[in-house]
Amino acid sequence: MSKAQKKWTIIFLVSAKSNLYNEMIAAINEICSVGSNEHINYVIIYDGLKAGVFKKEFAKPCVFYASNKKIRFSKAQPEKIYPECDLTVEDDLSIIIQDIKTKFPAAHYGFVYKGHGGTGGVDIKNGIT
């Protein structure tokens, strides 16, 4: 992965700590099937599942890069694992996002959340995101 700045880095936070685990994996596989290109980085923050894991990387929050090789999520290797992070803690999530912005520089960033949970203090009308 080149450090050259791309036009966009889209960050997907996918929480599989729910009864929607299979749906979350399907969403990740769809992102991976598109893959990044010369203009866009697709980066996935995976909030792991502690029980019934297929491999140890699925148990902790980790970051995956959806390369243009279109590797299925179950075979992908994480860019980085965050064993001490709790993604419900704002500072922990900020650390991960800053790491992504450093490793995958872009002119613009997008953030997509998929999972259960509240609004996270988002109020687009007042500019709080």
Side-chain angles (χ1 to χ4, degrees):
M1 184 16 244
S2 167
K3 285 247 182 198
Q5 186 181 59
K6 294 190 180 183
K7 186 163 184 167
W8 282 94
T9 291
I10 307 297
I11 303 167
F12 297 88
L13 171 53
V14 179
S15 177
K17 291 183 176 179
S18 68
N19 61 342
L20 299 175
Y21 176 78
N22 290 328
E23 179 186 332
M24 300 307 169
I25 297 303
I28 292 170
N29 278 326
E30 190 168 342
I31 296 163
C32 290
S33 75
V34 172
S36 300
N37 60 45
E38 66 274 9
H39 305 289
I40 301 172
N41 290 311
Y42 291 117
V43 181
I44 300 158
I45 302 171
Y46 176 78
D47 195 5
L49 185 69
K50 292 190 189 278
V53 293
F54 297 104
K55 58 184 184 179
K56 66 181 179 181
E57 290 85 356
F58 285 4
K60 300 288 181 184
C62 48
V63 170
F64 290 86
Y65 179 69
S67 73
N68 59 359
K69 295 177 182 148
K70 300 178 170 95
I71 297 171
R72 290 189 61 76
F73 179 63
S74 61
K75 298 195 185 286
Q77 294 299 311
E79 293 287 323
K80 186 168 181 180
I81 300 170
Y82 295 84
E84 304 303 318
C85 283
D86 177 347
L87 293 182
T88 64
V89 176
E90 183 178 344
D91 288 343
D92 286 356
L93 182 56
S94 293
I95 288 167
I96 295 172
I97 289 174
Q98 189 55 52
D99 284 354
I100 291 169
K101 290 173 78 174
T102 299
K103 186 159 186 175
F104 304 100
H108 307 283
Y109 293 89
F111 186 84
V112 178
Y113 172 75
K114 182 164 179 60
H116 285 293
T119 61
V122 174
D123 183 353
I124 294 173
K125 199 163 68 174
N126 291 323
I128 302 169
T129 56

